[in-house]
């Protein structure tokens, strides 16, 4: 008999091979060990060693996954295999499910649950966010925790039947194994009784595998009974799985939809706050989890969409910006910019006797140049955003957006602008004269997300003072000039209040502005009078505008063309 025949014997053949009414002296054949069904797989998703290493590493880093595994394991068996399958389904680029026939009966519930997850309409959308990302795949598993609990509770009767089927199958295998070992044991006993190591094994059976009729019949009967019991248990388990777990597909759809929504939201938060994929990959699991939690629950969490739109707008304005554009020609002036020299000046270079005159006029800055009116070239020094966080900045405007949220979104876009141009950025959060915090982001160092969030979430409250933050900004630009001789910094004042300054301070301000060559841009947020003619902010700024509609991120678009 070949292996397949032994593994799946014909019932009729079994009946004729050994009937109870046959003569007791009839010789038979010992059942082979291969008659036992092979052990099935415990994992529903096909995975290689690398995939499992990723899972074990992620599991070891995630306290939440370990807590979930412990909680489910107290109530249900084989939940560690289920969590592994759920993770691999989300993580692998092309997850492949084993056939149900390949599984251990005790894991068929796991197989049904994972199959329902993979078949859910929203799984492809979830998979786009989680593929190849262990953290995102783990978060998807955690988001499905509630549904997994319900599905496992509903499937408990089916799980119990599956375990009985496994025990019956194991019993059948043990019976066959015992039958195969019986000849050897009989031979050993016979050898011991005869005292002759070279004997024929007594009555235990021949070397060709034949056995005395009664012994073979008894073993075969035991194996047959165990096999029948295993098949009945497997059929019972299959029916129980179909009947007891009808809600699995619906629960899986809900779980996948929720986890997909959570994955999309977290990815959008990361993008809005400028945390790129490369930066996320460099974070440990715990660091990324803490950052995601902070983004979800922080002071400006509900304004993430506004922050993202502001940054996209600024990025678009950068793409449109032309460095050193000549603008509209309005006349002729004097200077030493060779790119704007009028043709008559250049013609003098063609006469040897006039070349010395050209050189002298160039040295003196007296060449005739085309004069133009247009946007001034961008600065080269630090970009400093002074953000008012007085009590009134908490007031909401159109769309429910607060003045603070609009100002912080603009400031974060300015941070991107500075880093794009290789310039230092400084965020100064101010309110009253005694309340000020300075956040420095040097151009040569990464702007860590925690530091960016510290800047964005700082709110001081109280009144408003212009002198304190602007003095701090001047000192920073002075320090930069002394250290690296860089001039032409840019200060952006974001405020909703107008307050006075002393004449002495104003004289010092104007002197510093002339010496350091910086520009000042002002934005009156939700307060037209702040940007009106004759206001203090108007006197301080070179460029001033008022913003009333806080849903309009383009109200300050020109800032990103000239800064």
């Amino acid at each position: 008999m070949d292996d397949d025949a032994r593994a799946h014997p014909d019932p009729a053949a079994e009946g004729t091979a050994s009937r109870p009414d046959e003569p007791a002296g009839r010789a038979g054949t010992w059942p082979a060990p291969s008659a036992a069904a092979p052990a099935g797989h415990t994992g529903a998703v096909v995975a290689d060693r690398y995939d499992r290493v990723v899972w074990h590493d992620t599991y070891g880093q995630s306290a939440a996954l370990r807590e979930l595994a412990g909680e489910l394991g107290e109530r249900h068996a084989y939940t560690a295999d289920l969590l592994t399958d759920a993770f691999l389904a989300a993580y692998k680029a092309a997850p492949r499910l084993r056939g149900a026939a390949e599984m251990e009966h005790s894991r068929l519930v796991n197989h049904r649950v994972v199959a329902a997850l993979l078949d859910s309409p929203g799984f492809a959308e979830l998979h786009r966010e989680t593929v190849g990302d262990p953290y995102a795949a783990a978060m998807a598993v955690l988001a499905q925790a509630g549904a997994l609990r319900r599905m496992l509770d509903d499937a408990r009767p089916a799980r119990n039947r599956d375990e009985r089927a496994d025990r019956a199958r194991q019993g059948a295998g043990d019976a066959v194994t015992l039958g195969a070992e019986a000849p050897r044991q009989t031979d050993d006993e016979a050898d011991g009784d005869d005292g002759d190591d070279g004997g024929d094994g007594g009555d235990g059976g021949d070397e060709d595998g034949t056995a005395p009729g009664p012994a073979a019949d008894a073993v075969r009967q035991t194996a047959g009974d165990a096999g029948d019991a295993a098949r009945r248990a497997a059929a019972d388990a299959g029916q129980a799985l179909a009947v007891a777990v009808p809600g699995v597909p619906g629960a899986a759809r809900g779980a996948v939809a929720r986890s997909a929504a959570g994955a999309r939201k977290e990815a959008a938060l990361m993008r809005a706050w400028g945390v790129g994929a490369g930066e996320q990959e460099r974070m440990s699991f715990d660091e990324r989890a803490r950052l995601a939690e902070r983004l979800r629950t922080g002071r400006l969490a509900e304004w993430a969409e506004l922050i993202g739109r502001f940054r996209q707008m600024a990025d678009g304005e950068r793409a449109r910006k032309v460095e050193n554009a000549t603008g509209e020609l309005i006349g002729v002036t004097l200077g030493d910019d060779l790119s704007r020299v009028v043709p008559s000046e250049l013609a003098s270079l063609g006469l040897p006797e006039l070349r010395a005159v050209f050189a002298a006029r160039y040295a003196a800055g007296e060449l005739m140049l085309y004069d133009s009116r247009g946007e001034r070239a961008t600065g080269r020094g630090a970009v400093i955003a002074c953000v008012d966080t007085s009590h009134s900045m908490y007031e909401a405007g159109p769309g429910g957006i607060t003045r603070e949220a609009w100002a912080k979104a603009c400031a974060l876009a300015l941070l991107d602008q500075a880093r794009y141009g290789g310039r230092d950025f400084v965020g100064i959060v101010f309110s009253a004269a005694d309340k000020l915090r300075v956040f420095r982001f040097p151009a040569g160092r990464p702007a860590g997300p925690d530091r960016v969030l510290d800047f964005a979430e700082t709110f001081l409250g109280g009144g408003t003072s212009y002198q304190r933050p602007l003095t701090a900004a001047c000192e920073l630009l002075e320090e930069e000039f002394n250290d690296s001789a860089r001039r032409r910094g840019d200060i952006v004042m974001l405020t909703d209040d107008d307050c006075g300054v002393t004449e002495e301070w104003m004289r010092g301000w104007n002197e510093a502005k002339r010496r350091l060559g910086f520009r000042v841009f002002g934005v009156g947020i939700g307060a037209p009078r702040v940007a009106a003619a004759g206001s203090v902010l108007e006197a301080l700024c070179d460029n001033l505008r008022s913003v009333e509609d806080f849903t309009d991120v383009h109200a300050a678009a020109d800032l990103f063309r000239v800064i």
Side-chain angles (χ1 to χ4, degrees):
M1 184 182 294
D2 60 20
D3 289 344
D4 288 339
R6 283 194 295 269
H8 304 285
D10 177 41
E14 287 183 9
T16 58
S18 176
R19 292 196 304 269
D21 58 349
E22 286 187 357
R26 183 184 181 279
T29 319
W30 296 106
S34 58
H41 291 282
T42 59
V45 177
V46 178
D48 57 27
R49 179 173 298 183
Y50 173 77
D51 296 327
R52 296 193 177 278
V53 167
V54 173
W55 159 248
H56 286 301
D57 288 347
T58 305
Y59 182 83
Q61 295 178 44
S62 172
L65 278 178
R66 296 194 299 273
E67 290 173 7
L68 176 61
E71 175 195 341
L72 294 179
E74 290 177 358
R75 295 173 52 83
H76 306 282
Y78 315 118
T79 53
D81 293 329
L82 176 59
L83 293 183
T84 303
D85 284 331
F87 172 87
L88 293 174
Y91 172 76
K92 287 179 64 66
R96 182 166 63 87
L97 196 67
R98 299 185 193 279
E102 302 177 61
M103 299 295 297
E104 286 279 356
H105 280 286
S106 58
R107 272 52 166 209
L108 283 176
V109 168
N110 290 0
H111 184 276
R112 179 73 178 271
V113 169
V114 177
L117 293 175
L118 289 171
D119 291 340
S120 297
F123 182 79
E125 184 178 359
L126 170 65
H127 196 239
R128 283 194 295 270
E129 302 292 347
T130 61
V131 61
D133 187 339
Y135 170 85
M139 291 298 104
V141 174
L142 293 173
Q144 296 163 6
L148 293 176
R149 291 187 193 96
R150 289 194 299 275
M151 288 188 282
L152 289 173
D153 286 341
D154 292 343
R156 188 185 294 276
R159 176 84 78 185
N160 293 338
R161 288 177 173 84
D162 287 341
E163 292 174 359
R164 285 199 294 272
D166 260 355
R167 288 195 294 271
R169 185 175 62 176
Q170 183 63 44
D174 290 345
V176 173
T177 301
L178 179 62
E181 293 293 333
R184 186 180 300 110
Q185 294 173 359
T186 305
D187 286 344
D188 292 344
E189 292 172 0
D191 289 343
D193 291 343
D194 294 344
D196 182 6
D197 294 337
D200 61 2
D203 296 333
D206 296 333
E207 293 181 0
D208 61 359
T210 60
D217 289 345
V219 170
R220 184 171 288 104
Q221 183 66 40
T222 301
D225 291 344
D228 290 342
R231 282 188 289 275
R232 286 194 301 272
D236 187 29
Q239 293 174 359
L241 181 63
V243 173
V245 202
V248 164
R253 282 195 297 273
V256 168
R258 284 190 296 274
S259 56
R264 284 196 310 272
K265 184 176 181 180
E266 182 164 317
L269 277 173
M270 293 290 185
R271 287 192 297 269
W273 285 93
V275 184
E279 190 171 4
Q280 294 176 45
E281 291 175 0
R282 290 191 294 270
M283 296 179 187
S284 69
F285 187 96
D286 287 340
E287 287 174 337
R288 189 166 167 188
R290 284 195 299 269
L291 175 60
E293 179 65 18
R294 187 174 180 184
L295 292 179
R296 284 192 296 267
T297 61
R299 182 180 183 84
L300 298 181
E302 61 181 308
W303 313 124
E305 191 267 342
L306 172 70
I307 293 169
R309 286 195 295 120
F310 232 114
R311 285 179 143 162
Q312 289 176 356
M313 177 275 295
D315 187 59
E317 294 301 320
R318 277 196 298 273
R320 292 174 53 194
K321 182 166 61 176
V322 179
E323 299 287 348
N324 301 318
T326 57
E328 178 187 1
L329 294 177
I330 58 173
V332 176
T333 186
L334 299 179
D336 58 0
D337 186 351
L338 296 177
S339 66
R340 295 189 289 135
V341 174
V342 300
S344 60
E345 291 280 22
L346 294 175
S348 63
L349 292 176
L351 300 175
E353 58 271 22
L354 294 180
R355 290 175 184 170
V357 176
F358 181 91
R361 295 180 64 191
Y362 172 71
E366 296 178 352
L367 292 174
M368 289 190 295
L369 312 175
Y370 284 121
D371 194 9
S372 61
R373 178 172 58 203
E375 293 169 342
R376 181 178 171 182
T378 56
R380 288 294 176 266
V383 177
I384 302 178
C386 298
V387 183
D388 185 356
T389 59
S390 58
H391 283 313
S392 58
M393 289 290 287
Y394 195 66
E395 184 179 329
I401 300 172
T402 64
R403 298 175 178 183
E404 178 203 8
W406 194 96
K408 295 287 182 61
C410 183
L412 291 173
L414 288 169
L415 168 60
D416 292 344
Q417 187 83 353
R419 300 193 72 77
Y420 178 82
R423 302 168 67 183
D424 292 348
F425 177 81
V426 181
I428 297 179
V429 180
F430 72 95
S431 59
D434 60 339
K435 294 184 177 181
L436 181 120
R437 287 194 63 185
V438 177
F439 297 86
R440 305 184 70 163
F441 299 89
R445 303 176 195 170
D450 286 331
R451 184 68 172 166
V452 172
L453 284 168
D454 288 343
F455 163 55
E457 294 180 349
T458 298
F459 190 86
L460 302 177
T464 305
S465 169
Y466 283 178
Q467 290 187 190
R468 179 80 188 281
L470 292 176
T471 297
C474 276
E475 291 172 350
L476 289 166
L477 293 176
E478 184 86 46
E479 177 185 332
E480 182 181 41
F481 177 74
N482 293 336
D483 289 345
S484 58
R486 281 201 298 267
R487 300 172 72 249
R488 293 170 56 198
D490 291 311
I491 299 173
V492 182
M493 190 75 167
L494 300 155
T495 182
D496 70 339
D497 199 3
D498 198 35
C499 61
V501 296
T502 66
E503 291 184 6
E504 182 181 358
W505 182 89
M506 194 67 178
R507 285 194 296 271
W509 168 262
N510 289 331
E511 170 58 26
K513 190 175 178 184
R514 181 194 62 78
R515 185 175 69 257
L516 300 174
F518 61 79
R519 300 174 296 180
V520 184
F521 300 84
V523 183
I525 304 173
R529 61 182 179 79
V530 174
S535 68
V536 174
L537 192 61
E538 194 262 346
L540 291 171
C541 296
D542 303 296
N543 184 305
L544 182 61
R545 83 283 329 277
S546 177
V547 176
E548 293 297 318
D549 184 1
F550 299 160
T551 64
D552 182 13
V553 299
H554 294 278
D558 63 309
L559 283 177
F560 302 94
R561 291 195 296 271
V562 297
I563 291 180

